Amino acid sequence: MHLPAPDFWQFTLPRSRTCLLTDDGSLTTNRLARLLSERGWQVVVLSFPQSIVSDTVGDRLPLPQGVNRIELTDLSEQQLQQKLVAISETYGAIGAFIHLHPEHQVCDAKSEKSILKYVFLLAKHLKRSLNQAALTGRSCFLCVARLDGEFGLGTTIDFSAISGGLFGLTKTLNLEWEKVFCRAIDLSPELNPETSAHSIIAELYDPNSLIWEVGYNSQGRVTLVSETASLA
């Protein structure tokens, strides 16, 4: 079902809170971090090991001025806990989380599965921080996948279905974390980094918490609805 552009609820993450953004190895990370920073958000980028996610130039793509990067050397739970503690102590408790899932062209199926499992671990360890932040304002958990912008229902774009697991995770968190704004977004790989970043911003500021998943493609903004099948 096609959706109109979302309304815009103006809010800013308090300076005492941090937005944790995962790095998908593309320019979308840079563009999104810049848009958030321009809106007064404190952003920390979490980069996966380069053996897991590579980028187009073989090195880390630059981040906007004022945005800090935390690099992972492995995907162990122990290191994740250490990094999250360091982020909270250095920059402030995490009040928002945005996961940018890499396109399947930049990591193989094994690596993509490892990232998916890691996002589940992140949800486990961010539960307390995000729910506490929700008591004093909006806190967010967003997952951004790159299927086809149609939740895998299109017929023209080749994609990996592994990241579809992010939609199940987000739906579950929506039920369990009643005060946290949770949404899964499917961006068509055909969208450029600037358009992708602005689409994520639009969803982040949407006041409508009843929509759990949104897709963006060349036809615009869509979501899934259930319909009763006709027996005729």
Side-chain angles (χ1 to χ4, degrees):
M1 181 181 80
H2 284 278
L3 291 172
D7 292 327
F8 191 88
W9 177 27
Q10 181 62 55
F11 76 97
T12 301
L13 203 66
R15 293 300 298 175
S16 60
R17 295 282 180 176
T18 298
C19 174
L20 183 62
L21 170 64
T22 63
D23 184 0
D24 69 348
S26 79
L27 282 172
T28 300
T29 301
N30 175 291
R31 299 297 186 267
L32 181 57
R34 174 175 56 81
L35 290 176
L36 291 169
S37 295
E38 290 173 350
R39 287 162 171 76
W41 291 50
Q42 180 168 240
V43 182
V44 173
V45 170
L46 184 68
S47 291
F48 297 109
Q50 287 188 287
S51 60
I52 300 293
V53 177
S54 60
D55 58 37
T56 56
V57 296
D59 200 359
R60 299 294 190 196
L61 294 174
L63 296 174
Q65 185 176 3
V67 175
N68 295 284
R69 185 195 304 275
I70 300 295
E71 298 205 32
L72 296 168
T73 57
D74 61 57
L75 297 183
S76 68
E77 185 170 7
Q78 180 181 9
Q79 183 175 145
L80 171 61
Q81 291 176 290
Q82 293 171 348
K83 296 295 187 183
L84 291 179
V85 169
I87 291 170
S88 296
E89 292 179 346
T90 305
Y91 305 106
I94 296 170
F97 171 72
I98 304 174
H99 170 61
L100 300 182
H101 199 77
E103 294 187 45
H104 69 94
Q105 291 93 341
V106 302
C107 63
D108 56 30
K110 181 179 179 181
S111 296
E112 191 176 1
K113 288 179 182 177
S114 296
I115 293 172
L116 180 62
K117 292 178 182 178
Y118 201 76
V119 178
F120 277 72
L121 269 181
L122 276 160
K124 170 185 172 182
H125 290 285
L126 292 175
K127 176 182 177 180
R128 181 178 180 182
S129 181
L130 293 181
N131 279 275
Q132 285 182 339
L135 298 176
T136 56
R138 169 170 277 196
S139 72
C140 315
F141 185 99
L142 268 64
C143 288
V144 182
R146 292 277 191 170
L147 297 176
D148 57 0
E150 301 178 67
F151 310 103
L153 300 177
T155 59
T156 60
I157 296 177
D158 181 35
F159 63 89
S160 167
I162 293 172
S163 59
L166 296 170
F167 293 86
L169 170 63
T170 306
K171 289 178 181 177
T172 300
L173 296 182
N174 251 312
L175 295 172
E176 295 182 355
W177 299 356
E178 294 182 0
K179 296 185 181 299
V180 179
F181 180 79
C182 301
R183 181 164 294 178
I185 306 169
D186 177 21
L187 298 180
S188 169
E190 296 177 342
L191 301 179
N192 62 46
E194 197 72 32
T195 300
S196 297
H198 279 281
S199 299
I200 296 167
I201 288 290
E203 297 306 314
L204 183 65
Y205 282 86
D206 184 9
N208 186 355
S209 61
L210 299 179
I211 298 175
W212 294 359
E213 51 193 7
V214 171
Y216 281 86
N217 54 52
S218 59
Q219 303 303 311
R221 183 175 183 244
V222 298
T223 192
L224 294 175
V225 295
S226 60
E227 296 182 352
T228 302
S230 173
L231 299 179

